[in-house]
Amino acid sequence: MIIKKYILNACVSLLVGCFLSLPVVTHGQTESQAALPKFGETSDPNYRLSVRDRISISVFDEPGLTMAQGIDAKGEIRVPLINTFHVQGMTIREVEKMLEQQYVEQKYLRNPIVTIDILTYSPKEVSVLGAISRPGQIPFPPEVEKIDIVELISIVGGFTPLAKSKDVR
């Protein structure tokens, strides 16, 4: 019974080893060309950061460098040891790479793996006024940067009978 258990474990290890040694191909790119997801990544790496987003920054195997903070009114974050950085408009992936590079250049870490997650998105909203069914503030979904005017008019319930829909701007 013990021998069967060892043989089973050896077979599983062999299969896992074979799987891990296969080259990763993503849309015609090899592993060295494709951007691979990082351990623990949950936020969209292509999301562009904005003022009032609240983020967490962690460095793999460095619990003392884990922090949570908001992006200030200037679009900046303060990272202990390395500096203050303007991150507004940058993607999560760009900021991760920039911080990894700074830890290496400033000789704090040799091969850091930085992960950034969005804790809360900055509120985005638009005011809709005029001859519409429900005027007022319309919040954007967190991942949306802009809304088409036709979609917005639909969200507020359309025009009232008095509206001059051809004069919308």
Side-chain angles (χ1 to χ4, degrees):
M1 190 67 163
I2 293 175
I3 294 173
K4 285 182 183 179
K5 183 177 177 183
Y6 286 122
I7 292 172
L8 180 62
N9 285 341
C11 290
V12 169
S13 296
L14 180 63
L15 287 172
V16 169
C18 289
F19 176 76
L20 292 176
S21 66
L22 292 172
V24 176
V25 178
T26 307
H27 301 289
Q29 296 179 326
T30 63
E31 180 176 339
S32 60
Q33 297 167 323
L36 298 176
K38 294 186 176 189
F39 176 78
E41 181 177 80
T42 57
S43 296
D44 176 8
N46 297 312
Y47 172 76
R48 295 207 175 266
L49 297 169
S50 62
V51 172
R52 295 175 33 201
D53 280 340
R54 186 153 175 78
I55 61 173
S56 74
I57 303 170
S58 59
V59 181
F60 179 72
D61 211 22
E62 296 290 339
L65 298 177
T66 297
M67 68 198 86
Q69 63 179 286
I71 298 173
D72 68 17
K74 295 178 185 176
E76 297 178 340
I77 57 170
R78 173 118 178 93
V79 182
L81 299 179
I82 57 176
N83 210 345
T84 300
F85 300 96
H86 184 82
V87 297
Q88 179 183 4
M90 295 177 69
T91 67
I92 291 173
R93 182 63 40 95
E94 290 169 342
V95 176
E96 289 172 342
K97 287 183 181 192
M98 178 182 63
L99 295 179
E100 289 169 353
Q101 181 181 357
Q102 288 299 312
Y103 278 121
V104 171
E105 285 179 7
Q106 295 185 34
K107 299 183 181 177
Y108 285 108
L109 300 169
R110 288 187 182 157
N111 193 18
I113 299 173
V114 175
T115 302
I116 295 178
D117 287 312
I118 304 292
L119 299 175
T120 56
Y121 291 93
S122 64
K124 295 178 184 94
E125 54 190 23
V126 64
S127 296
V128 184
L129 305 172
I132 53 172
S133 297
R134 292 186 306 272
Q137 299 281 359
I138 306 299
F140 284 34
E143 66 282 352
V144 173
E145 290 293 320
K146 56 187 173 180
I147 294 179
D148 182 69
I149 186 96
V150 174
E151 183 179 350
L152 192 58
I153 291 168
S154 173
I155 291 171
V156 297
F159 295 110
T160 65
L162 298 175
K164 294 180 182 176
S165 59
K166 292 185 176 155
D167 292 337
V168 173
R169 18 180 193 111

